Amino acid sequence: MEKSLVTLDNGTTCSSWNYNGERLATGSVDGTLAIFDSIDPASSSFTCTSRSRVHEDSVVKVVWVPPEYGDAVGCICADGTLSLWEEVVEDAQPLQWKLCKSFGSNSNKVLDVQFGVSPTSLKMVIAYSDGHVKVYELLDPLELKSWQLQAEFQNASDSVSTFGKALCLSASVSWNPQRGESQQSSFVLGFHSDTPQLNSAKVWEFDQDHQRWLPVAELALHGDKGDQVFTVAWAPNIGRPYEVIAVATHKGIAIWHLGLNPDIDGRLSVERVALLSGHDGEVWQMEWDMSGMTLATTGGDGMVRLWQSNLNGVWHEQAALEPTS
Amino acid sequence: MPGLTADSGNALVPLSPEAHVSVVYPLHHGLKPPISRLSISWSRGNALRVSVFRELPAESGDSDGEAGGKVVQVKLGVADGEVDDAQWRRIAYGSVSPFALLQSRRNSVLALSKMSMSSSPYHPDWWEYVMEYSKDISSLLDNAKSLPNSVIDDPKTVLKKVEEPTCLKAAWGLLEIFYADKESQAWLPEQIVDWLADYDILFSGTQATVHSKLVEFQKAIVRLQTIEDDPRYWEVITSALAVGWLEIVVKLLRLHGSYQLDQLSNRETENGLVEAVAILISKMPRMRPELEAGRLGECFKTKPDFIKAWEKWRAQITKLDCSSFWVQCDHRQTRDGLRNMLQVMLGNTNNLCTSTCHWIELYISHFLYVRPFTVGLESMHALAQKCIQLKPISSSHRLMGLIIGILGENTEVVLAECSRAFGPWMVAHAIELLTAGSDQAEIILQEERDNLGGISIEELHRLVYAQVLSSHALTWQIAPIYLTSCMKQGMGLLEVLLYKQPVQDNQMLLKTTEICRLYDLESISSSIMKIAGVYHWKHGRKGSGVFWLQQARDEFRLNRIAQQLFDFVGRSISDESFKQWEGLIELLGSESKIAGGLDFLHKYRDFKKSLQQVQVGKTTDAAQQAVESLISLMRNPSTPQRFWLPLLHDSLKLLSWQERPLLNVNQTNLLLNKLQELSMARLRPDFIEANLPPQALSSVRLALATNLGRAILEE
């Protein structure tokens, strides 16, 4: 049933496939970024085509930049720095991975970064360990070094009050994958922190008229608002009249329906349609398939679980994969 | 699963306690434990990639020769190993055109019915189209490996070796019989008899069948001296009779020892009885329009005729059963065996039950000998229940599940069985037969459901199948056929699918954009070409990059590229670099509308060319032409201000031409004015200083002044 595609280097800590599954980027404890490509398109085995030392510290997360902006990745390292690396040919030099930009910070660590494509620009959301979120915009579509800070805020429903000295262990950002022309940029964000108000997953939408980011929905039931969020995942929408977002907390994986039309206050209606448990503890990662019908998750129990909704709209575990040697 | 029942009280839609238990599949990665973490990613379609990371050995840096991790790919929801990958692709490709033909017929029929405002949405002969479709699909499901047929007809070969059928074809056959073949509805039982004759072999894998008994006996047959003494002979004959394989029965009967020439004299009666049974069998009335050549029985198309013949036939059997000849038959096994057969033909339930192996065989024997008129699914279902009671299912077979679902008239169960046992291809294609089956099924399958995000079950299954197709490089191109038959979400998924196609290879890229063009997906096509353009641009193939960005009409990036060229031109104007970007200007210039500033680059190129000629030939004509270019550049409002000084500095030689002043008074004044403007602009903070020697401005001014003086003198 399974097929082995890649053998990873010793000390590999994280991996990420690009948008079409043709390239794999991995990071390792010694700060190396490795790129794997399929040399022969007919075969399905991948070999390492590039290894670059991106940092002296361990790489903990690799995120691909949308392909409209080139072959580039963001690397988050254990010391909380973020660097953007790009594969380019410059001035008659051979193809190589080059550093475009670093986002270092002495006190605040970068916990997560995700890129969102809007019709005119590339946006980057960075979640920091002090509970702050920064949204950057790329100024030149061909240069990944010129970023402009567009907004900075905290993940709170009430945008007026600010919370000092938050301590966050992890954060998870997921952009609305829709690429339509008319679509407003939006993303969902949740924290795992010591400040309850910042934790719950909130949907942020860019208000074009006032050029600001607004929280338009909160994905937590009344009693669960302070729950620390492990990870979030916004499902692709190929035509549903609502959005689907998965939010994982220690209570389980919640599947939320998010309305498309805002009410008078600009808020979107939300409904939790399922709470699934299975990983018995931390959920590491959640990924929707290309139709947004199947959710794959991994977690502390070392299993891969697949979730689907049946014909009656009831979500259930469809299958599980147990890694064995 | 521990997770399934927990917390269900909290959910808005609580999971029912009997919710199905998910299957746990092992995922072999071949790494030495311990495993520290997993990472997942969906590839195209239903392929899931799992990265497995091994924990580092305690003494870090000390590699133990093991890999640090593996990435394995799993394809989900793919059917069993009955049909191999290549065969699946053959089926997938083969079913495209029947499916597409049926869709286009449906569309035209629907359009027609809308025009005529007729009440029925479908043509009365709609099922004929469905039947044609079903036959086309069925022909794809034949097994490729066909067994060689023996030319010599061996009298002792009772079972002809035919190509091994697949469960897939058997399942399709069942659906065709029950849902599509409206013409043969009156002869449904006989159709199922034929179906079992073709596919009983498939059940042999999991349980004893009449077919497996026959195969066993076939092996033994050559070693038997007097066949009729062997109890297996009579057992096999009766079993074959019970399921209606009359040709085999008669062939076996004729192997009876009493037929041998040297036996005739003393076994006449016995032989007469054997032959009498053989004749009765070959004259069995069948309620069906026709039988293939070589098959036994007498066909009756209408029920009254059939009943008359059926009663007459049974009367003959009863008569034979009571005949006094039996007493004269000395061979006990023959006597008992033949009378047993008569009981089967008379429909004795006990005999039928002992001579059949599993419930479907028993079911078939009931159709043949007990209730040949059974019609209507309800009574067929009741009969099936009875047979299952008599012969409980020991090992469930996927075809049995399907039959029970069909007889239970539950469309959803049938679909679930198809999906579970035969996978997404089957469901996506079988729905066409199910919807043709009844209006009710059509409503169930085509009704848009909120629970499914506003799509119908039919659409859902097409989407699922298209996703399976998408996961393979050789089949993704046929996914659009299925996606475009989906009213609501097909195009959405098609866009996602196309977006994920690789762009590095031009051939592939052209194919993808062609599909976009075919389905009017302009924005996705432009995204793809944008990706290709940026890819080539960044990878040093600037020309391809510009070409694809132009195809994508990406003004935003093209303007940036033009800007980069300006910067480049402003920075260095050596002859080598000039050659480098000359081609790009050519490319960009072909659609000058896109980047207005490129007009300048065009003119600049012309200017550079004539300046080069001046350098080579030093002719006054060429110099005059270069001056024209310079003036036109300086007059052009699209020429960026920061180029003024470099342009003039480049032209120093022209401004101080030896033979005669090349610029007239007006022209010189124009340039002087520009120079003045430039001096003013330098005071502004956003002024970009050209990369020129510090005395450039003054030397230009001096040259212009000299030229002006000479020009005034000339005029």
Side-chain angles (χ1 to χ4, degrees), chain B residues 323-373:
Chain B
S323 136
S324 56
F325 287 112
W326 297 108
V327 195
Q328 296 168 35
C329 177
D330 295 330
H331 196 262
R332 188 183 51 82
Q333 285 97 326
T334 303
R335 197 175 57 224
D336 294 351
L338 289 177
R339 296 193 76 173
N340 234 338
M341 291 171 75
L342 293 185
Q343 286 306 309
V344 165
M345 289 153 84
L346 287 171
N348 182 320
T349 314
N350 283 338
N351 289 59
L352 293 179
C353 208
T354 44
S355 33
T356 52
C357 299
H358 54 85
W359 75 266
I360 301 178
E361 287 174 357
L362 180 62
Y363 189 53
I364 297 299
S365 71
H366 268 81
F367 282 133
L368 285 164
Y369 304 108
V370 186
R371 294 159 70 178
F373 322 113

Side-chain angles (χ1 to χ4, degrees), chain A residues 7-11, chain B residues 31-32 53-55 64-70:
Chain A
T7 302
L8 301 170
D9 299 344
N10 242 315
Chain B
L31 292 169
K32 210 159 88 183
F53 305 114
R54 217 161 61 87
E55 212 160 89
D64 54 358
E66 287 273 321
K70 273 268 160 85

Side-chain angles (χ1 to χ4, degrees), chain A residues 2-3 5-6 8 15 20-22 86-87 89 140 142 179 272 285 287 289 315 320 322 324-325, chain B residues 10 12 15 23 25 27-29 31 40 42 44 49 51 68-69 71 73 467 499-500 538-539 560:
Chain A
E2 64 279 87
K3 193 165 67 175
L5 300 182
V6 192
L8 301 170
S15 72
N20 62 13
E22 303 269 314
E86 183 184 28
E87 186 187 59
V89 170
D140 179 341
L142 295 170
R179 304 175 164 269
R272 191 179 79 177
Q285 196 191 354
E287 291 284 319
D289 72 341
W315 283 85
E322 182 172 24
T324 60
S325 40
Chain B
N10 267 341
L12 288 183
L15 290 170
V23 193
Y25 299 97
L27 183 74
H28 298 281
H29 50 67
L31 292 169
I40 44 178
W42 288 95
R44 272 160 287 173
R49 289 168 176 178
S51 303
V71 183
Q73 174 167 289
Q467 232 176 319
Y499 181 81
K500 284 177 182 283
K538 296 257 182 179
H539 285 79
R560 282 303 313 168

Side-chain angles (χ1 to χ4, degrees), chain B residues 690-704:
Chain B
N691 191 13
L692 289 172
Q695 74 282 11
L697 186 68
S698 53
S699 50
V700 168
R701 192 188 298 277
L702 184 64
L704 279 176

